[in-house]
Amino acid sequence: MKAQEIIRSIEAEQLKTNLPDIQIGDTVKVAVKIVEGGKERIQPYEGTVIAKGSSGLTKTITVRRIFQGVGVERVFLIHSPRIDSIQILRRSKVRRAKLYFLRDRVGKATRLKQRFDRPLT
């Protein structure tokens, strides 16, 4: 029992508190820290959240975007030190927990209806 308490206390120190309330269907901009040689820079990754997974320190979001006509998905550990910030740009109205059906759609068919009843922050 004592080991679990130690693990929880260590995880609690690692958890980020300044994260927005991210929902499925949100269009987000994730600022990722990239290390190239000795330099570090921040690269934005903008796309739609199609899935959320796990909980606690291992909480993840899957973000999908179209880059040069090809769908690209990235899974982000949101409490990772590599994630600088997450900004919500747009909220969408969805009726599913996972938006995997967007993988089969192309062009205008991938649009989601915008939602105005929740604030962006």
Side-chain angles (χ1 to χ4, degrees):
M1 202 59 181
K2 207 140 180 106
Q4 289 177 344
E5 293 172 11
I6 294 169
I7 291 171
R8 277 199 203 105
S9 67
I10 293 171
E11 283 185 355
E13 294 171 10
Q14 304 294 323
L15 290 175
K16 291 183 181 178
T17 55
N18 59 348
L19 293 173
D21 181 30
I22 302 165
Q23 299 295 323
I24 304 296
D26 290 353
T27 301
V28 295
K29 185 185 282 187
V30 182
V32 186
K33 292 178 185 171
I34 307 261
V35 177
E36 292 175 336
K39 296 180 184 174
E40 189 176 280
R41 66 183 176 90
I42 294 176
Q43 181 179 38
Y45 188 90
E46 188 176 324
T48 305
V49 177
I50 63 167
K52 289 185 351 182
S54 199
S55 64
L57 195 60
T58 60
K59 190 172 190 176
T60 61
I61 56 171
T62 304
V63 181
R64 179 177 175 83
R65 68 184 263 196
I66 305 299
F67 182 71
Q68 296 182 351
V70 179
V72 179
E73 291 180 11
R74 265 181 89 173
V75 179
F76 294 104
L77 272 164
I78 65 171
H79 293 289
S80 168
R82 293 255 177 247
I83 304 297
D84 187 54
S85 66
I86 300 175
Q87 179 185 6
I88 298 175
L89 305 175
R90 182 175 189 262
R91 294 204 181 268
S92 298
K93 187 176 178 182
V94 293
R95 298 173 67 176
R96 303 193 181 282
K98 309 277 192 228
L99 301 182
Y100 295 144
F101 67 89
L102 290 177
R103 293 172 175 168
D104 302 326
R105 301 201 175 176
V106 190
K108 287 187 177 180
T110 61
R111 290 180 301 179
L112 299 170
K113 187 173 266 192
Q114 191 163 357
R115 179 178 179 169
F116 296 103
D117 60 339
R118 300 191 68 191
L120 293 178
T121 54

